Amino acid sequence: MNSGVLQALESSFGGDQLSASRLCGDGPELPLVTPNSREGILEALSVARRGGWSIVVTGLGSKLGWTRTARRADFLLSTRRHAGVVAYEPGDGTLTARAGTTLAELASHVASGGHGLTPDVPRPERATLGGVIGAAQSGSDRLRYGPLRDHVLGLEFALSDGTLAKCGGRLVKNVTGYDLQRLFCGSHGTLGVILEASLRLFPLPEEECSITAVASDNAQMLQLAGKVLAADARPISFSVARLDPPHAHAQWMFAVRLGGRREVVVAERAILSSIFPGALVQHGSEARSDAGALRDRGFGASDGPMLRVEIRPAQFAFALGVLDEWLRAPGASSEFRPRVWCEPGLGQIDVALLPRADLGDQAVKALAQLRSALAVKGGRVRLFNGPREFVHESHGAAPAGAQLMQSIRDRLDPARVLATGRFPEFP
Amino acid sequence: MALSGTARNELKRLLGPRGVVDSPIGRLAYESDGLALIHQAPEIVLLPRNTAECAGAMSVLASEGVPVVGRGAGTGLSGGATPVEGGALIATARMRDVLELNVVDRYARVQAGVVNVDLTQMCAEHGLFYAPDPSSQQACTIGGNVGENSGGPHCFKYGATTRHVLGLVIVRADGSILDLSEPQYEPQGYDLIGTFVGSEGTLGIATEVTVRLTQKPAAIETLLAVFPSLDGACDATSDLIAARIEPSAIEILDKLTIEAVEASVFRAGYPKDAEAVLLVEAEGSEVEVASTVRDVTRIARARGAIEVRSARSDSERKKLWAGRKGAFGAMGRIAPDLYVADVCVPRTRLKELVRETTRIAKEKGLKLANVFHAGDGNLHPNISYDRRNPDEVERVLTAGREIMALCVAAGGSLTGEHGVGLEKRDEMCLVFNDDDLRAMTLVREAWDPERRLNPGKLLPIRGCREARGAHAPSVGHGR
Ligand SMILES: Cc1cc2nc3c(=O)[nH]c(=O)nc-3n(C[C@H](O)[C@H](O)[C@H](O)COP(=O)(O)OP(=O)(O)OC[C@H]3O[C@@H](n4cnc5c(N)ncnc54)[C@H](O)[C@@H]3O)c2cc1C
């Protein structure tokens, strides 16, 4: 640990706000500062500026492996203790909270007024509001509610030069000023520190149920998935997991989560039961934990390496075909042993990879092949929590707009206080 | 800064004779948008046919250092497309091609000048539609919708334009082309598209837009709830929101609006003796629609609706909506001019703020009608006036400013869908401080370092602290 950094932090923060952590499993230990106020966060930024140091902004640190590791990091700044609900307006369906509040706390707070929020993430007690926005995290409930960025109504943030600024507001509809909320969604702490956010809320379902069923092979799975998506129903989520190891007559397991007004759920359940005769139906909180349990069989709840294929939803079958073929090819099969988890309605396939420290050139090459095969229909591949070097290689060529992204970043953080190199898109 | 002869010739060579308008009379047609109070003829009007032509023209303008304003159909109500003195106007009127319709993946790639309603008509036979439906949809362009992040009645359910833009091709201030046309469900890197939508032509000119197409619902039902008071209609809306009922649109029309609509070609059969009507639509499966309709009816009656009726046929449904969408036009016919305010408020405070806006207008001897997206808390107090009467114009503008200040003080905002433009530029200081605006300015400068695109719009020219010191001059005094 850099003793100069530690000293500087110690002179501003008490012991209860200072500890140590790592950016990634094999990285060096770094000082971690967890200020419990807006002023404390500004002070941490000022310490970094004065020392010419570079920091990585985090919540509870669960998504640090989602992008490349920072090129340089002298200490970590966490907003986890800048927490608490600022305003919940049950009559207006909006919520404003500080960045460090966990999604679990927020969900239980707004449930009192009959509201719920998106995204439904695997471990909501480990996800802070700031972190979820910074990483633009989606849950499987995206099928019903759409991506998080559609529901962030406003933000308060700190720029690295100490400027405290806000954008948007607390209203469900508003076009006053630039939509910086969207710019910050998915910026991974590279533009500023999110301090507070306002969200649009949803009605908590009056009734919930989950339907679990199996399919014997890819063909049957795709056929059934097509039926579910074409049905007159609006599931909260619809996921399919490949059983590993496969059962005698079942390779895939489905989980459809329904929720909403009671009579609507009853009608939708009847429709789905006709698609999956003999399916297991669970109600209420059991339904939620059922769908959750299936998700947790996948990568969802692990921090292990994961590959995500994203494609236009209608091209889901194409992507699965390409992926399966790729997984069988020698280059990939020697390096990966996958568990596959799909969201057919979102055009998303996640492959949980076996954690291996030594993914080599072979794997990098194999990944490049997968990427170009998917690109034919606009598909993409991203790697999460991968071995360090691998993540750097895995994102492919810089997208259009990389230069502009860089220049937005340079304007908002000219001194490069906030971690650089976290995006593969630009240096 | 004036455009040189060489540059003019170069532009004519690039765009062809029909692509350049520089005669005094020709230019006059573009001197204002829907905010007719402000006008300024542009130095030159350019009408590119595609991205390459637009980029070529933009390069010429960049090398001349000439400011550039983008324009779609010019239906904007905040002066976003008002030309700037000595500047060029790039209009998308000749960019009306649909480039790709993909019904499998449910998206369309269109040129920015395509008219909103044409998009929906084009994909109707495939059971699809384009969800954002501004009342001006018969005229406004997709590029203009992107510029303003426009809304519409059904955005209550489907969200405003930004949720439906999957890709863009943008010509930047220096003439370079940023091609983000491949439909994106998750941005790669920063969300440039999300930042661009609603930027009112200050970050670039969109030449192509990739939009999401939505599947038509299985069932639709339209309800008209008739109220003996405007308060009742507002309260019913607040109750619907608080009860977390989810129809696809909740609109209110008051008595003056109903009278205007019923006296016009948009006549919809709204009851003329009503003080207000609530127009509600429910969409989804048969069961969902039926249950929503039941709840809406119950809540409306509890708030004193004297009648709640349902459109009996598709044509009656269309008529009810045509009346709503034609309301501004209908009012425009009974008064020489119409000032359309566009504020947003928390939905818990609809009644109180609608009352207050009415009071403000009354105090100033002005006639105010309400027709608005109640479900989203998006008020449109409409004030009729005669622009030839300078005293009345002044009173209208003062009322507009007071309404904005009132709503901001109540936790609301300056604009829900029409944008800041020129009209509300200085009021930005009611909502944001210099630091907030600086963050926005930094982003703007990353896109357009010289601030040559739509200068003087959206962001206050002077700092708020300074402006507060010497009360900001009001816009709105044309010639
Ligand atoms: C009767 C009436 C009803 C209306 N109802 C609604 C409504 O329900 N909801 C709503 O939201 N609005 C409504 N409006 C306002 C207006 O129609 C919308 O703002 C519309 O999106 C403007 O589209 P336009 O093509 O006319 O754009 P313009 O007015 O020409 O331009 C609007 C803004 O976008 C910029 N711009 C235009 N084209 C481009 C481009 N290609 N690239 C980048 N920037 C561009 C301009 O510079 C300007 O700042 C209404 C207006 C009228 C007159």
Side-chain angles (χ1 to χ4, degrees):
Chain A
M1 243 190 268
N2 180 333
S3 59
V5 176
L6 204 55
Q7 261 171 24
L9 287 172
E10 276 166 351
S11 72
S12 296
F13 296 95
D16 64 324
Q17 296 182 42
L18 269 179
S19 57
S21 185
R22 292 174 209 278
L23 267 184
C24 55
D26 56 350
E29 241 190 13
L30 295 172
L32 166 72
V33 58
T34 51
N36 54 15
S37 68
R38 184 188 275 137
E39 293 66 36
I41 291 167
L42 292 175
E43 173 59 20
L45 287 168
S46 146
V47 169
R49 275 196 314 273
R50 290 197 301 265
W53 291 311
S54 174
I55 64 175
V56 169
V57 183
T58 123
L60 284 161
S62 64
K63 298 164 195 73
L64 287 173
W66 282 27
T67 61
R68 301 208 290 196
T69 10
R71 198 174 315 113
R72 174 175 165 200
D74 298 298
F75 68 91
L76 300 168
L77 165 60
S78 167
T79 52
R80 69 184 64 161
R81 291 178 62 191
H82 183 53
V85 169
V86 176
Y88 166 40
E89 302 292 348
D92 204 23
T94 61
L95 170 77
T96 301
R98 287 186 273 272
T101 329
T102 64
L103 288 200
E105 288 169 62
L106 293 177
S108 79
H109 192 99
V110 301
S112 65
H115 283 111
L117 51 88
T118 190
D120 178 19
V121 298
R123 288 179 301 174
E125 68 291 343
R126 295 279 309 150
T128 64
L129 178 60
V132 166
I133 295 172
Q137 186 176 15
S138 285
S140 49
D141 61 341
R142 178 171 179 161
L143 186 64
R144 165 80 67 87
Y145 302 116
L148 173 62
R149 74 177 61 80
D150 287 353
H151 310 297
V152 180
L153 308 174
L155 292 178
E156 180 190 57
F157 53 90
L159 295 181
S160 65
D161 67 0
T163 301
L164 202 62
K166 63 182 179 300
C167 58
R170 295 181 181 183
L171 302 156
V172 294
K173 188 174 181 185
N174 188 7
V175 297
T176 313
Y178 289 136
D179 190 343
L180 301 187
Q181 305 87 283
R182 282 180 190 259
L183 183 60
F184 271 75
C185 271
S187 62
H188 286 279
T190 59
L191 297 176
V193 184
I194 296 171
L195 298 174
E196 210 173 279
S198 299
L199 297 181
R200 174 205 310 273
L201 302 172
F202 299 97
L204 265 188
E206 190 177 277
E207 169 97 22
E208 267 188 89
C209 88
S210 74
I211 291 161
T212 318
V214 294
S216 56
D217 55 17
N218 278 17
Q220 195 193 16
M221 184 275 272
L222 290 169
Q223 190 212 0
L224 290 169
K227 282 189 180 172
V228 172
L229 293 172
D232 199 5
R234 246 171 13 108
I236 294 177
S237 66
F238 170 39
S239 317
V240 193
R242 180 176 272 155
L243 296 171
D244 180 37
H247 296 205
H249 301 290
Q251 278 186 17
W252 293 95
M253 182 177 268
F254 288 89
V256 188
R257 198 174 141 204
L258 300 175
R261 300 161 145 268
R262 189 155 296 125
E263 53 212 289
V264 175
V265 173
V266 169
E268 293 185 342
R269 192 176 61 212
I271 293 172
L272 287 164
S273 298
S274 70
I275 299 176
F276 300 114
L280 174 69
V281 181
Q282 303 267 36
H283 296 270
S285 61
E286 271 174 13
R288 214 170 315 147
S289 68
D290 228 46
L294 185 66
R295 173 186 57 204
D296 295 347
R297 294 170 62 108
F299 73 89
S302 90
D303 293 329
M306 177 189 103
L307 203 105
R308 173 167 288 175
V309 171
E310 290 161 313
I311 200 151
R312 302 171 203 154
Q315 305 303 333
F316 171 70
F318 162 81
L320 186 66
V322 167
L323 182 71
D324 272 349
E325 195 174 314
W326 179 79
L327 286 168
R328 280 194 298 271
S333 60
S334 62
E335 301 276 350
F336 305 99
R337 224 200 102 214
R339 289 159 67 186
V340 176
W341 169 265
C342 314
E343 309 273 353
L346 299 174
Q348 192 173 300
I349 308 175
D350 289 342
V351 186
L353 302 170
L354 286 187
R356 289 244 287 260
D358 58 346
L359 284 172
D361 289 353
Q362 181 92 331
V364 173
K365 220 178 278 162
L367 205 55
Q369 280 161 5
L370 176 62
R371 179 175 302 109
S372 60
L374 289 165
V376 176
K377 301 232 167 151
R380 286 206 286 148
V381 186
R382 284 197 285 166
L383 188 82
F384 298 85
N385 302 322
R388 219 175 136 125
E389 299 315 316
F390 196 58
V391 181
H392 289 215
E393 294 300 329
S394 74
H395 284 80
Q403 243 181 348
L404 175 58
M405 293 177 199
Q406 168 98 53
S407 110
I408 292 173
R409 198 208 125 87
D410 286 346
R411 304 238 172 204
L412 292 185
D413 177 29
R416 302 211 160 190
V417 170
L418 303 170
T420 53
R422 290 200 70 189
F423 271 102
E425 283 77 11
F426 48 86
Chain B
M1 240 225 230
L3 203 54
S4 68
T6 339
R8 280 175 201 271
N9 289 337
E10 179 61 8
L11 289 167
K12 283 179 185 155
R13 192 190 61 77
L14 278 169
L15 306 179
R18 292 186 52 217
V20 178
V21 178
D22 60 355
S23 70
I25 293 189
R27 290 185 287 132
L28 221 51
Y30 295 89
E31 66 173 2
S32 71
D33 62 6
L35 182 69
L37 277 175
I38 318 178
H39 30 84
Q40 165 68 53
E43 182 71 24
I44 191 166
V45 179
L46 305 172
L47 300 154
R49 277 168 297 200
N50 53 43
T51 302
E53 286 192 0
C54 182
M58 198 73 115
S59 298
V60 173
L61 298 170
S63 62
E64 297 274 307
V66 171
V68 181
V69 176
R71 176 182 170 109
T75 66
L77 292 167
S78 57
T82 311
V84 299
E85 196 178 349
L89 192 73
I90 297 189
T92 55
R94 292 204 301 166
M95 306 208 316
R96 300 225 155 155
D97 289 341
V98 172
L99 305 169
E100 183 187 357
L101 171 62
N102 186 329
V103 296
V104 175
D105 293 318
R106 293 188 191 152
Y107 69 81
R109 213 157 47 78
V110 303
Q111 285 193 305
V114 164
V115 169
N116 177 298
V117 80
D118 291 346
L119 193 49
T120 281
Q121 268 157 17
M122 170 194 86
C123 55
E125 61 174 302
H126 305 284
L128 301 171
F129 69 107
Y130 177 63
D133 60 339
S135 305
S136 52
Q137 70 190 134
Q138 304 284 349
C140 67
T141 65
I142 297 298
N145 296 170
V146 166
E148 304 287 16
N149 187 15
S150 300
H154 290 80
C155 293
F156 177 65
K157 174 186 173 95
Y158 295 103
T161 301
T162 188
R163 280 205 223 170
H164 304 272
V165 177
L166 299 173
L168 288 172
V169 176
I170 298 164
V171 171
R172 294 188 48 199
D174 61 0
S176 63
I177 296 168
L178 177 58
D179 186 345
L180 305 168
S181 57
E182 177 71 28
Q184 279 196 17
Y185 299 87
E186 197 51 50
Q188 214 176 340
Y190 299 146
D191 186 1
L192 297 178
I193 293 173
T195 312
F196 188 89
V197 177
S199 62
E200 304 187 11
T202 61
L203 301 183
I205 302 283
T207 52
E208 294 175 22
V209 187
T210 309
V211 295
R212 180 197 303 280
L213 301 175
T214 304
Q215 198 177 6
K216 279 190 197 158
I220 302 186
E221 193 158 340
T222 309
L223 293 179
L224 188 75
V226 182
F227 284 88
S229 76
L230 182 54
D231 282 359
C234 290
D235 280 337
T237 304
S238 295
D239 287 357
L240 284 170
I241 302 300
R244 304 177 300 285
I245 311 295
E246 293 185 300
S248 57
I250 309 178
E251 301 281 313
I252 289 180
L253 290 79
D254 72 0
K255 190 177 181 67
L256 278 176
T257 310
I258 294 171
E259 282 170 4
V261 170
E262 290 304 310
S264 77
V265 293
F266 305 107
R267 195 157 49 82
Y270 303 143
K272 276 186 256 181
D273 50 350
E275 281 299 317
V277 293
L278 196 60
L279 188 58
V280 179
E281 192 146 273
E283 294 180 20
S285 65
E286 302 274 355
V287 181
E288 192 173 358
V289 167
S291 103
T292 305
V293 163
R294 206 184 46 233
D295 284 348
V296 172
T297 307
R298 177 175 50 78
I299 288 174
R301 288 208 187 280
R303 283 297 187 176
I306 29 184
E307 187 194 350
V308 182
R309 67 170 138 107
S310 173
R312 277 157 310 207
S313 63
D314 204 40
S315 70
E316 193 181 344
R317 194 179 85 75
K318 287 201 175 111
K319 241 172 111 183
L320 287 175
W321 279 111
R324 162 62 187 91
K325 293 191 174 172
F328 291 163
M331 282 183 278
R333 263 174 217 118
I334 52 174
D337 295 291
L338 191 68
Y339 171 89
V340 182
D342 168 46
V343 281
C344 267
V345 301
R347 295 169 296 178
T348 44
R349 304 184 66 176
L350 284 175
K351 173 173 71 184
E352 161 199 353
L353 292 163
V354 167
R355 271 190 191 165
E356 283 294 294
T357 55
T358 311
R359 179 190 55 77
I360 289 173
K362 212 178 215 163
E363 268 175 18
K364 301 193 168 39
L366 298 165
K367 200 165 156 190
L368 181 146
N370 283 291
V371 45
F372 60 105
H373 311 302
D376 279 317
N378 188 182
L379 310 186
H380 287 323
N382 301 314
I383 305 176
S384 32
Y385 69 97
D386 183 344
R387 87 177 88 164
R388 289 161 305 186
N389 177 344
D391 170 62
E392 195 171 48
V393 168
E394 192 51 51
R395 279 180 286 135
V396 169
L397 290 169
T398 314
R401 281 195 297 270
E402 285 181 22
I403 288 171
M404 284 190 257
L406 168 81
C407 292
V408 169
S413 81
L414 299 180
T415 165
E417 54 177 24
H418 296 167
V420 175
L422 261 183
E423 186 209 2
K424 297 158 210 156
R425 181 190 68 202
D426 295 330
E427 271 70 27
M428 282 287 274
C429 294
L430 294 175
V431 182
F432 297 114
N433 63 28
D434 284 337
D435 287 341
D436 308 332
L437 295 171
R438 192 173 79 85
M440 290 185 196
T441 303
L442 289 171
V443 172
R444 184 209 201 302
E445 288 175 346
W447 287 76
D448 171 20
E450 297 166 356
R451 298 210 239 170
R452 225 163 18 78
L453 299 183
N454 223 357
K457 312 285 178 71
L458 197 143
L459 294 167
I461 294 174
R462 298 194 290 167
C464 295
R465 245 168 254 145
E466 208 184 321
R468 259 180 221 122
H471 183 76
S474 61
V475 291
H477 301 280
R479 290 172 299 210

